[in-house]
């Protein structure tokens, strides 16, 4: 297969997996809700007042507690697992084709050099011993 074809297929697969395995998860709950107004543009002028009366800058506040993060990651892992396990099922593929039409409207993906160098650069240090 030509490198350009591999890149095109990888791009569509990445968009599709992001759409159905990541976007349509608990991330939607985080995305829903009221977006605070910021005049600074970077949310440095937005504060959260917690139940203890502390004012926490929006940029310093955790927006996910450990339980929500664990739940979100389980959803994503389960969906990625299901995607890979059912990718050859004709009914599942028909469903994917419908979502691909939406996902293809997103920006073209690009190679994440920082991600790649972090994995390759730290590969030896992270191997189980």
């Amino acid at each position: 297969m030509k490198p350009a074809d591999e890149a095109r297929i990888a791009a569509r697969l990445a968009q599709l997996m992001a759409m159905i395995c990541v976007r349509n998860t608990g991330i939607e709950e985080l995305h829903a809700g009221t977006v605070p107004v910021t005049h600074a543009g970077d949310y440095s002028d937005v504060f959260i007042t917690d139940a203890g009366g502390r004012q926490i800058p929006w940029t310093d506040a955790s927006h996910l507690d450990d339980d929500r993060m664990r739940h979100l990651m389980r959803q994503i892992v389960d969906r990625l697992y299901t995607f890979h396990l059912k990718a050859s099922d004709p009914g599942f593929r028909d469903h994917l084709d419908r979502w691909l039409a939406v996902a293809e409207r997103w920006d073209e993906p690009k190679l994440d050099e920082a991600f790649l160098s972090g994995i390759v650069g730290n590969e030896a240090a992270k191997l189980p011993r």
Side-chain angles (χ1 to χ4, degrees), residues 1 15 49 64 78 91 93 98 119 125:
M1 182 180 302
Q15 289 171 319
T49 303
L64 282 174
D78 289 349
R93 290 183 72 118
R98 290 191 295 274
I119 291 173

Side-chain angles (χ1 to χ4, degrees), residues 38 41-48 56-63:
T38 175
D42 64 357
Y43 295 91
S44 62
D45 56 342
V46 176
F47 296 86
I48 297 168
I56 304 166
W58 179 265
T59 53
D60 291 348
S62 172
H63 300 276

Side-chain angles (χ1 to χ4, degrees), residues 1-2 28 34 59 68 83 128:
M1 182 180 302
K2 295 178 184 176
E28 291 296 335
T34 304
T59 53
R68 289 185 78 185
F83 183 97

Side-chain angles (χ1 to χ4, degrees), residues 14-97:
Q15 289 171 319
L16 182 59
M17 291 175 74
M19 169 68 79
I20 67 169
C21 298
V22 179
R23 179 170 177 161
N24 295 328
T25 63
I27 285 178
E28 291 296 335
E29 295 168 18
L30 296 173
H31 185 248
T34 304
V35 177
V37 174
T38 175
H39 295 293
D42 64 357
Y43 295 91
S44 62
D45 56 342
V46 176
F47 296 86
I48 297 168
T49 303
D50 72 7
R54 297 181 303 168
Q55 280 213 320
I56 304 166
W58 179 265
T59 53
D60 291 348
S62 172
H63 300 276
L64 282 174
D65 63 18
D66 287 344
D67 288 339
R68 289 185 78 185
M69 184 64 166
R70 190 175 304 108
H71 177 72
L72 177 61
M73 293 309 299
R74 283 181 180 145
Q75 273 189 306
I76 292 170
V77 168
D78 289 349
R79 287 179 183 212
L80 289 167
Y81 173 76
T82 302
F83 183 97
H84 287 292
L85 200 62
K86 295 296 183 179
S88 61
D89 178 87
F92 187 73
R93 290 183 72 118
D94 288 344
H95 178 76
L96 296 181
D97 287 342

